[in-house]
Amino acid sequence: MGLLQVFDIAGSGMSAQSVRLNTVSSNMANANNVSSSADDVYRAKNPVFATLMSNMQQDEASAGVQVTKIIESNSKAIQRYEPHNPLANEEGYIFQTNVNVIEEMANMISASRSYQNNVEILNTAKQLMLATLKIGQ
Amino acid sequence: MPINFEKALGSHEQALMIQARRASAISSNIVNADTPNYKARDIDFKQALKKSQGDFLSMSQSHSNHIHAAGSDAMGIHLKYRTPLQPSLDGNTVDLDLEKSAYSENAVRYQTTLQFLTGRFKGMKNALAKE
């Protein structure tokens, strides 16, 4: 029924936001990766969120969220002239990941705020359910 | 004479159901705050309560292939789309502040209804208890 579904909805949101936090941390960890070719270098990953319509016929009101896929950013890798770097190619260039650390930080804060919102929803729904159990007492 | 729960509890029972449903609708909005192209929806409490009391004209489905009219679900509750206050780049119409306040307002209303119901039950208990 209505309130029980809030747990599913908030749970789906929490798992989606934690996937987002995961991609952020993996992007941040690889922010300084370099490679000798533009094709091999690590690319920033981002999750794609989509509304999860669960048994729509029965209950149209509830819609969770899901991560449908994780896409790699196709912005250009940073090219730098470093002939002394052991990873440099024949022309002396190295390629650094296209991870934008500032973007990732903003993304992380947004993901953690959304996660907190979901936890808050869940707590409120839990309190309401517990109060419902005490009805008539 | 048997106790008629429907009469004793009044409209609070239906109100509780609608408020629970509304909590799930608003939580869907908050959870989908970061989903591109998601459109926020909400339940019109007044209309839903009227409908649950049979005080509302609705479309009849005379054929199995007919779809529900005006986006009503199995319980006959209508969901309406919110009008966004400002446009967003990704087509999402969730206003997080508005949804959060609506959610806590709904939670308080739910608890109020629970209080009313508890009062009704207490009344019945008092009537049943012997002096």
Side-chain angles (χ1 to χ4, degrees):
Chain A
M1 267 314 299
L3 271 181
L4 269 176
Q5 270 156 358
V6 176
F7 288 86
D8 290 342
I9 296 167
S12 76
M14 280 156 74
S15 81
Q17 297 297 344
S18 67
V19 168
R20 188 170 162 204
L21 272 175
N22 249 327
T23 59
V24 169
S25 63
S26 124
N27 290 348
M28 293 283 263
N30 287 292
N32 290 317
N33 274 15
V34 289
S35 171
S36 38
S37 90
D39 300 326
D40 293 342
V41 77
Y42 179 90
R43 292 182 172 279
K45 296 179 197 304
N46 282 304
V48 177
F49 281 17
T51 309
L52 173 68
M53 290 291 194
S54 58
N55 45 32
M56 246 175 69
Q57 287 297 313
Q58 280 169 22
D59 183 14
E60 218 207 340
S62 65
V65 64
Q66 63 179 346
V67 176
T68 46
K69 58 185 171 190
I70 291 176
I71 52 163
E72 289 195 329
S73 157
N74 51 12
S75 65
K76 265 185 149 180
I78 304 159
Q79 193 177 1
R80 257 208 324 262
Y81 185 63
E82 273 186 32
H84 302 298
N85 195 311
L87 283 170
N89 62 10
E90 297 92 60
E91 288 141 6
Y93 283 105
I94 58 159
F95 295 89
Q96 199 186 343
T97 59
N98 57 2
V99 174
N100 184 339
V101 182
I102 298 161
E103 235 169 58
E104 296 300 330
M105 281 302 283
N107 206 355
M108 183 189 80
I109 294 167
S110 169
S112 91
R113 288 286 175 270
S114 297
Y115 193 95
Q116 283 168 10
N117 277 336
N118 292 340
V119 173
E120 223 170 281
I121 293 170
L122 219 143
N123 272 334
T124 310
K126 189 178 134 199
Q127 276 171 16
L128 289 182
M129 288 216 81
L130 290 176
T132 316
L133 284 176
K134 288 192 196 116
I135 201 167
Q137 277 176 21
Chain B
M1 197 186 85
I3 294 174
N4 188 342
F5 270 105
E6 218 166 278
K7 262 187 192 162
L9 300 180
S11 58
H12 298 308
E13 190 191 346
Q14 279 112 25
L16 202 69
M17 299 263 269
I18 296 163
Q19 276 153 354
R21 193 50 76 88
R22 189 160 178 241
S24 102
I26 299 173
S27 68
S28 296
N29 292 345
I30 299 177
V31 161
N32 280 292
D34 297 321
T35 311
N37 293 320
Y38 178 84
K39 308 293 179 210
R41 294 176 305 172
D42 197 3
I43 289 167
D44 184 349
F45 180 82
K46 192 179 172 186
Q47 199 186 45
L49 190 66
K50 253 189 184 173
K51 192 164 185 189
S52 72
Q53 290 168 336
D55 197 19
F56 195 82
L57 284 178
S58 60
M59 303 270 264
S60 66
Q61 288 165 277
S62 53
H63 192 272
S64 57
N65 285 349
H66 286 172
I67 54 167
H68 288 299
S72 63
D73 66 5
M75 269 178 71
I77 291 175
H78 288 271
L79 280 157
K80 287 179 177 167
Y81 288 98
R82 274 211 208 290
T83 314
L85 291 170
Q86 47 185 350
S88 69
L89 214 58
D90 62 353
N92 186 306
T93 62
V94 177
D95 182 343
L96 206 53
D97 302 318
L98 193 142
E99 299 296 342
K100 275 171 89 174
S101 61
Y103 187 77
S104 38
E105 185 214 326
N106 185 59
V108 172
R109 286 184 189 276
Y110 185 90
Q111 275 169 320
T112 314
T113 310
L114 276 183
Q115 282 291 320
F116 283 134
L117 274 171
T118 306
R120 297 285 172 115
F121 277 119
K122 272 193 181 143
M124 273 193 276
K125 267 187 186 167
N126 275 339
L128 288 168
K130 60 180 182 182
E131 291 293 314

